[in-house]
């Protein structure tokens, strides 16, 4: 690719000055020139070293440059293009490229069409999503665009070389370059950037005219300050945006006004349900997009010193200074959480851990496809389950909540889903992606399933291959990994599929696809598989046939329907497992874990701990919504090492990280085999746990399909409860179960255990640290950079 020799930046304000400074700092071209109507700005840019040379005559600057960046107000684009057009016509334009930094692409293209009679191939429209409320060349920073989006909006006939030159310059600035249709760009920015700014301007202007404005502004709380901060932006710039992108802005205003009228009506009518629906849907969406943004930050880490970040929700740019640094760090915290777990303590009290994640996922999926209203109580408000909820909202399903664990779903019927406007983002939810692959394979429309960095590295061929045998067309990335691009309109046929491993996700995926398939779909598992899907399908009135030893053969016929029902989600036994182990290993502990799901295909962790000598009793056993539940009373006990029976491995697969901690505290050797599945979870849980245990002084030997641990438990009564683990720093690899397991280990540690990358704990166990501390553990959550520094 031909490099850029000379660059002219027209308009040396914040954006133009920062672009010039960044290109010059990166050495991306030989000479950086500048032009500005304000001679003082030109002189300041030269004095600050932002440009190499300034031109007082625009025509001379254009003649000398290979690339011209127009960083002027939107309404100034046409006059500038007219002024420089003689140097951009005919042979003179052969080696020149023009780009811009405006926030409305239609305005630029209209100006170019009026000036040149066509959109020239050498014009590359662009828009950096970065800035500051400070203005002028004095506020310019070479780091302004680092790790920020820049959207280029080329047309079909845009010259490839011109596009590559502009892209190269932005990448030299440290920006993340994305391409987008120019008109779609204007629609998106109207909603995410322009509309929030205009609402903030309007609100402040309206309140400023109120007779009580002194008290209004005097007692304004943080919410008012946060929302209206962007009203401090440059009025001239936003005046030009309002006129330059007026059509898209008006459409966004109309759409917002309709929503505002719905809210107004609900308040007038005192419609409590509608109000809770609006607020809870907004809260859920906000949390979902926060997760999406944090996932992106894990792949592109902004430098804190740039002190600016683009908001997915408002499109606004945060202000430089101390307030901005605080907001940047706040926005980064999800991807940089660290647990510091202090040694000692005991566990006591009555605890209710969050709802079962597996059941929460399935309740949304089947409730959405049912006919009628499904009410879910005890829904897990973790990021994984919320990602599933958001995906079905994106496919046209009205879902109110969650509010205090309650979700109300207006089912659309088995054929009622609508094509989403874009890919369905599922965060870190592997269960959601694998189950939804089965559902989406049977829809009439194309859909793409995506996830965060962790999920994007997990294998999906285990569901893609059998779905292909049923007639589905699914494209994956290299190695069978997400995203999954699923072609709509497939005519699925029933098959008999023998699972290579006992996987509930694979079995459930095929059963959900089987609802749409011709004939009967049969799955045969080599061992016990958790049966939440079978139970819930029956609860929704869709018959499932279960036969064979341990229910290994499950069959479903296509063509049925789902009828709405009520679902009571029990507490998640996987989440309860952390407190079972904690109470077992911490001397003097006694805890009651209430309403825990005791599905026999999930309760392997209880049996394994009891085989190790744990003191666990079940009380208040009952069946709720087809799922067995019980209160678990756990008291401290001296554990002993065992060979874990392979029959229990599939029904305790998620609990092995914390079981490894129990094994380290036990007397004698614990051996696990037959658990190769642990290598392809959110992380390689065998290797990650072995590395962490070894770092803490435990004799742990990873095996291809398990682990051998020589426990350091104490048997003499006078030594009971002594420390087992050394202190140290552990990398959880972003795996929620590893993070929580090593937090439990601190109960028997000599010194603090510092656990890095704990943000994903929120995917399955919101407020784990808070509940653990209330129970008697000692966990401090800190926020720092992604390498764990604070």
């Amino acid at each position: 690719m031909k490099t850029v020799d000379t660059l002219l930046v027209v308009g040396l304000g914040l954006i133009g000055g920062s672009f010039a400074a960044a290109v010059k700092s990166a050495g991306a071209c030989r000479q950086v020139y500048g032009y500005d109507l304000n001679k003082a700005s030109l002189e300041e840019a030269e004095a600050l070293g932002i440009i190499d040379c300034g031109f007082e005559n625009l025509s001379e600057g254009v003649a000398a440059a290979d690339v011209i960046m127009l960083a002027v107000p939107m309404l100034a684009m046409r006059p500038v293009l007219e002024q420089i057009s003689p140097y951009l016509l005919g042979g003179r334009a052969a080696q020149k490229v023009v780009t811009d930094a405006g926030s409305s692409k239609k305005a630029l293209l209209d100006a170019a069409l009026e000036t040149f009679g066509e959109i020239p191939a050498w014009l590359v429209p662009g828009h950096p999503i970065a800035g500051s409320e400070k203005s002028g060349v004095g506020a310019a920073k070479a780091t302004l665009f680092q790790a920020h989006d820049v959207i280029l909006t080329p047309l079909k006939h845009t010259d490839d070389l011109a596009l590559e030159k502009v892209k190269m310059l932005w990448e030299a600035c440290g920006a993340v370059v994305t391409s987008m249709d120019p008109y779609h760009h204007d629609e998106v920015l109207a909603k995410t950037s322009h509309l929030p700014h205009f609402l903030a301007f309007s609100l402040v202007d309206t309140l400023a005219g109120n007779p009580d404005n002194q008290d209004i502004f005097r007692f304004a709380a943080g919410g008012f300050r946060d929302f209206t901060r962007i009203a401090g932006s440059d009025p001239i710039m936003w005046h030009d945006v309002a006129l330059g992108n007026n059509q898209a802005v008006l459409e966004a205003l109309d759409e917002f006004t309709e929503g505002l009228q719905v809210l107004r009506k609900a308040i007038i009518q005192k419609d409590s349900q509608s109000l809770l629906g609006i607020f809870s849907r907004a809260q859920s969406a906000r949390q979902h997009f926060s997760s999406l943004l944090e996932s992106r930050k894990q792949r592109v880490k902004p430098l804190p010193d740039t002190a600016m970040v683009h908001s997915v929700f408002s499109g606004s740019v945060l202000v430089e200074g101390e307030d901005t640094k605080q907001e940047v760090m706040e926005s980064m915290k999800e991807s940089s959480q660290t647990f510091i777990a202090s040694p000692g303590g005991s566990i006591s009290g009555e605890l209710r851990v969050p709802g079962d994640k597996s059941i929460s996922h399935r309740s949304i999926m089947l409730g959405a496809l049912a006919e009628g209203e499904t009410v879910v109580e005890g829904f897990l408000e973790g990021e994984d389950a919320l990602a599933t909820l958001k995906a079905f909202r994106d496919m046209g399903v009205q879902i109110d909540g969650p509010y205090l664990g309650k979700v109300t779903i207006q089912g659309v019927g088995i054929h009622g889903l609508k094509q989403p406007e874009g890919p369905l983002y599922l965060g870190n939810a592997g269960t959601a992606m694998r189950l939804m692959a089965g559902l989406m394979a049977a829809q009439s429309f194309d859909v793409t399933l995506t996830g965060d960095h962790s999920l994007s590295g997990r294998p999906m061929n285990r569901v893609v291959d059998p779905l292909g045998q049923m007639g589905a067309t699914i494209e994956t990335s290299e190695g069978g990994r997400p995203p999954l691009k699923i072609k709509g309109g497939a005519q699925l046929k029933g098959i008999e599929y023998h699972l290579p491993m006992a996987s509930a996700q694979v079995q459930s995926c095929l059963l959900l696809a089987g609802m749409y398939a011709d004939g009967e779909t049969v799955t045969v598992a080599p061992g016990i598989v958790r049966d939440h899907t079978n139970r819930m399908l029956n609860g929704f009135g869709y018959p499932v046939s279960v036969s064979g030893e341990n229910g290994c053969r499950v069959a479903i016929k296509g063509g049925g329907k789902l009828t709405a029902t009520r679902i009571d989600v029990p507490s998640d036994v996987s989440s309860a497992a952390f407190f079972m182990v904690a109470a077992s290993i911490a001397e003097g502990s006694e805890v009651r874990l209430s309403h825990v799901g005791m599905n026999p295909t999930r309760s392997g962790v209880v049996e394994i701990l009891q085989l190790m000598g744990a003191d666990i009793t079940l009380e208040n056993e009952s069946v709720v919504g087809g799922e067995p539940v019980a209160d678990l009373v756990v008291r401290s006990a001296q554990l002993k090492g065992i060979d874990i029976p392979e029959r229990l491995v599939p029904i305790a697969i998620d609990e092995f990280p914390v079981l490894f901690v129990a094994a380290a505290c036990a007397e004698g050797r614990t051996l696990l085999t037959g658990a190769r599945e642990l290598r392809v979870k959110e992380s390689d849980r065998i290797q990650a746990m072995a590395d962490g245990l070894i770092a803490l002084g435990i004799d742990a030997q990873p095996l291809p399909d398990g682990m051998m641990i020589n426990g350091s438990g104490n048997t003499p009564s006078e030594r009971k409860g002594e420390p087992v683990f050394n202190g140290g720093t552990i990398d959880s690899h972003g795996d929620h179960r590893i993070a929580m397991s090593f937090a439990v280990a601190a109960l028997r540690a000599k010194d603090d255990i510092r656990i890095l990358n704990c943000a994903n704990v929120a995917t399955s166990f919101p407020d784990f640290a808070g509940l653990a501390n209330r129970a008697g553990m000692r966990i401090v959550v800190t926020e720092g950079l992604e390498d764990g520094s604070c």
Side-chain angles (χ1 to χ4, degrees):
M1 186 195 76
K2 185 174 180 179
T3 58
V4 174
D5 185 47
T6 53
L7 166 70
L8 172 69
V9 178
V10 181
L12 293 171
L14 171 73
I15 297 298
S18 295
F19 182 72
V23 170
K24 189 170 184 292
S25 175
C29 64
R30 182 180 58 82
Q31 288 284 301
V32 178
Y33 303 140
Y35 169 80
D36 198 283
L37 286 173
N38 187 331
K39 186 177 179 181
S41 294
L42 200 62
E43 293 173 349
E44 185 177 3
E46 286 192 78
L48 292 173
I50 290 173
I51 58 175
D52 295 305
C53 175
F55 284 92
E56 296 185 21
N57 183 291
L58 178 58
S59 299
E60 291 178 1
V62 172
D66 295 328
V67 176
I68 299 100
M69 160 62 77
L70 305 182
V72 299
M74 290 308 307
L75 297 188
M77 290 291 183
R78 181 179 176 183
V80 170
L81 287 174
E82 290 176 344
Q83 187 175 350
I84 66 177
S85 61
Y87 298 89
L88 299 173
L89 295 172
R92 294 185 175 188
Q95 302 300 320
K96 296 189 187 295
V97 176
V98 177
T99 188
D100 81 309
S103 64
S104 170
K105 299 300 95 184
K106 182 178 183 300
L108 174 72
L109 296 177
D110 287 348
L113 189 60
E114 292 173 5
T115 301
F116 301 104
E118 62 180 0
I119 309 296
W122 39 256
L123 178 63
V124 182
H127 178 206
I129 312 297
S132 168
E133 289 169 19
K134 294 182 178 181
S135 59
V137 70
K141 296 180 64 174
T143 57
L144 181 63
F145 307 109
Q146 286 181 349
H148 284 253
D149 286 313
V150 168
I151 303 174
L152 300 183
T153 63
L155 299 176
K156 289 182 179 180
H157 68 279
T158 300
D159 182 76
D160 290 340
L161 181 58
L163 179 61
E164 283 302 310
K165 284 184 177 182
V166 174
K167 182 180 179 183
M168 181 272 290
L169 288 174
W170 278 119
E171 288 178 341
C173 297
V176 180
V177 180
T178 302
S179 293
M180 185 181 291
D181 174 83
Y183 301 102
H184 182 55
H185 164 277
D186 286 3
E187 292 172 357
V188 170
L189 269 294
K191 293 180 175 68
T192 61
S193 175
H194 305 164
L195 176 63
H197 277 83
F198 297 148
L199 295 180
F201 280 121
S202 178
L203 177 61
V204 174
D205 182 53
T206 299
L207 296 182
N210 189 290
D212 293 329
N213 63 72
Q214 292 296 321
D215 283 344
I216 289 172
F217 292 119
R218 177 185 175 189
F219 297 108
F224 178 83
R225 293 194 297 272
D226 290 344
F227 179 72
T228 60
R229 173 188 49 74
I230 52 179
S233 301
D234 182 1
I236 299 298
M237 179 184 75
W238 288 106
H239 161 273
D240 285 9
V241 169
L243 298 180
N245 196 28
N246 62 323
Q247 182 176 346
V249 166
L250 288 173
E251 290 175 358
L253 281 169
D254 289 343
E255 185 177 342
F256 175 77
T257 301
E258 290 177 8
L260 201 60
Q261 288 300 320
V262 172
L263 175 62
R264 186 176 187 275
K265 182 179 178 181
I267 295 173
I268 291 173
Q269 296 179 349
K270 298 182 179 179
D271 187 342
S272 177
Q273 184 174 351
S274 294
L275 287 172
L276 282 175
I278 294 168
F279 298 153
S280 62
R281 287 194 301 271
Q283 180 194 50
S284 176
R286 179 63 168 80
Q287 291 170 345
H288 173 76
F289 286 122
S290 290
S291 177
L292 187 154
L293 181 61
E294 297 311 330
S295 170
R296 182 177 181 277
K297 285 192 178 73
Q298 291 181 25
R299 298 189 293 276
V300 184
K301 181 172 72 174
L303 302 178
D305 286 343
T306 64
M308 277 175 278
V309 64
H310 176 248
S311 165
V312 168
F313 314 102
S314 69
S316 60
V317 181
L318 306 181
V319 194
E320 284 190 284
E322 291 306 313
D323 289 342
T324 305
K325 291 177 182 178
Q326 181 180 354
E327 290 193 52
V328 169
M329 295 308 294
E330 176 68 19
S331 70
M332 290 176 62
K333 73 178 182 179
E334 287 287 324
S335 57
S336 57
Q337 249 182 32
T338 297
F339 286 176
I340 300 176
S342 297
S346 60
I347 302 298
S348 62
E350 181 169 348
L351 308 178
R352 175 79 182 256
V353 301
D356 188 286
K357 184 166 68 166
S358 297
I359 297 175
S360 294
H361 280 305
R362 290 160 172 82
S363 69
I364 296 297
M365 295 179 190
L366 297 186
L369 298 173
E371 297 178 7
E373 181 179 273
T374 292
V375 177
V376 182
E377 301 278 1
F379 179 80
L380 170 65
E381 298 184 41
E383 291 176 7
D384 279 7
L386 289 173
T388 297
L389 186 151
K390 177 65 170 58
F392 280 87
R393 278 185 177 148
D394 288 348
M395 291 186 286
V397 182
Q398 180 182 334
I399 306 176
D400 293 333
Y403 178 70
L404 299 179
K406 181 179 179 180
V407 176
T408 304
I409 309 165
Q410 305 300 329
V412 297
I414 201 165
H415 297 291
L417 296 178
K418 298 178 181 178
Q419 184 168 18
E421 293 186 3
L424 297 178
Y425 176 78
L426 300 173
N428 194 44
T431 297
M433 180 167 286
R434 292 191 177 110
L435 269 60
M436 286 183 65
L439 286 177
M440 296 299 101
Q443 302 305 314
S444 60
F445 49 81
D446 297 351
V447 68
T448 298
L449 304 180
T450 69
D452 67 9
H453 182 67
S454 171
L455 182 54
S456 297
R458 295 165 69 179
M460 292 293 150
N461 278 339
R462 62 183 58 186
V463 295
V464 171
D465 291 345
L467 286 173
Q469 294 176 33
M470 296 179 72
T473 301
I474 304 177
E475 294 181 14
T476 68
S477 295
E478 184 179 356
R481 290 171 167 76
L484 305 184
K485 297 181 179 179
I486 303 172
K487 185 72 174 175
Q491 297 298 314
L492 302 184
K493 62 181 185 296
I495 62 170
E496 179 170 316
Y497 185 72
H498 290 255
L499 278 65
M501 78 291 289
S503 169
Q505 293 180 355
V506 176
Q507 183 186 75
S508 297
C509 167
L510 300 183
L511 293 177
L512 295 177
M515 293 192 298
Y516 296 85
D518 292 333
E520 186 176 57
T521 299
V522 179
T523 64
V524 181
I528 300 174
V529 174
R530 60 179 65 175
D531 63 358
H532 298 306
T533 301
N534 313 347
R535 291 172 182 263
M536 195 175 291
L537 281 168
N538 282 319
F540 276 92
Y542 203 118
V544 177
S545 171
V546 180
S547 59
E549 185 179 357
N550 295 319
C552 66
R553 186 182 189 276
V554 182
I556 190 171
K557 292 182 179 180
K561 71 173 185 176
L562 300 164
T563 302
T565 188
R566 297 186 68 88
I567 298 172
D568 184 351
V569 181
S571 295
D572 196 326
V573 68
S574 295
S575 296
F578 298 103
F579 293 98
M580 293 183 218
V581 172
S584 296
I585 67 173
E587 186 177 9
S589 295
E590 180 175 341
V591 66
R592 176 182 291 270
L593 302 167
S594 60
H595 199 68
V596 177
M598 291 303 295
N599 186 305
T601 65
R602 289 285 304 282
S603 58
V605 62
V606 176
E607 186 172 349
I608 291 171
L609 285 171
Q610 289 174 330
L611 290 173
M612 295 177 71
D615 183 353
I616 304 175
T617 58
L618 277 62
E619 298 181 359
N620 300 325
E621 296 181 68
S622 62
V623 177
V624 178
E627 291 282 349
V629 298
D631 294 348
L632 305 183
V633 179
V634 189
R635 300 176 181 87
S636 57
Q638 176 59 54
L639 304 180
K640 62 179 184 296
I642 63 170
D643 288 355
I644 296 173
E646 287 202 16
R647 66 178 177 83
L648 295 176
V649 170
I651 59 175
I653 195 70
D654 286 335
E655 292 76 55
F656 279 112
V658 77
L659 285 171
F660 292 151
V661 171
C665 296
E667 177 192 1
R669 186 199 73 168
T670 296
L671 176 65
L672 169 68
T673 58
R676 191 180 298 273
E677 173 76 4
L678 288 173
R679 294 228 179 241
V680 290
K681 289 289 189 176
E682 283 84 336
S683 67
D684 180 343
R685 286 178 174 166
I686 291 174
Q687 193 62 53
M689 285 301 301
D691 290 344
L693 290 170
I694 292 168
L696 298 179
I698 302 300
D699 181 3
Q701 301 173 36
L703 307 173
D705 62 345
M707 194 182 306
M708 184 172 68
I709 298 173
N710 288 307
S712 301
N714 317 116
T715 50
S717 58
E718 68 272 12
R719 296 176 58 200
K720 186 177 179 182
E722 283 190 356
V724 168
F725 303 95
N726 298 324
T729 297
I730 303 296
D731 188 349
S732 76
H733 301 280
D735 190 319
H736 53 133
R737 301 201 190 279
I738 289 176
M740 291 184 280
S741 297
F742 282 111
V744 169
L747 288 162
R748 295 287 296 276
K750 297 176 183 177
D751 204 346
D752 288 352
I753 297 178
R754 191 164 179 263
I755 310 158
L756 309 181
N757 301 313
C758 298
N760 277 338
V761 168
T763 64
S764 66
F765 203 143
D767 196 35
F768 164 74
L771 185 61
N773 286 334
R774 291 192 291 275
M777 295 172 66
R778 303 163 183 171
I779 303 173
V780 175
V781 181
T782 68
E783 318 296 345
L785 302 182
E786 289 163 355
D787 62 1
S789 58
C790 299

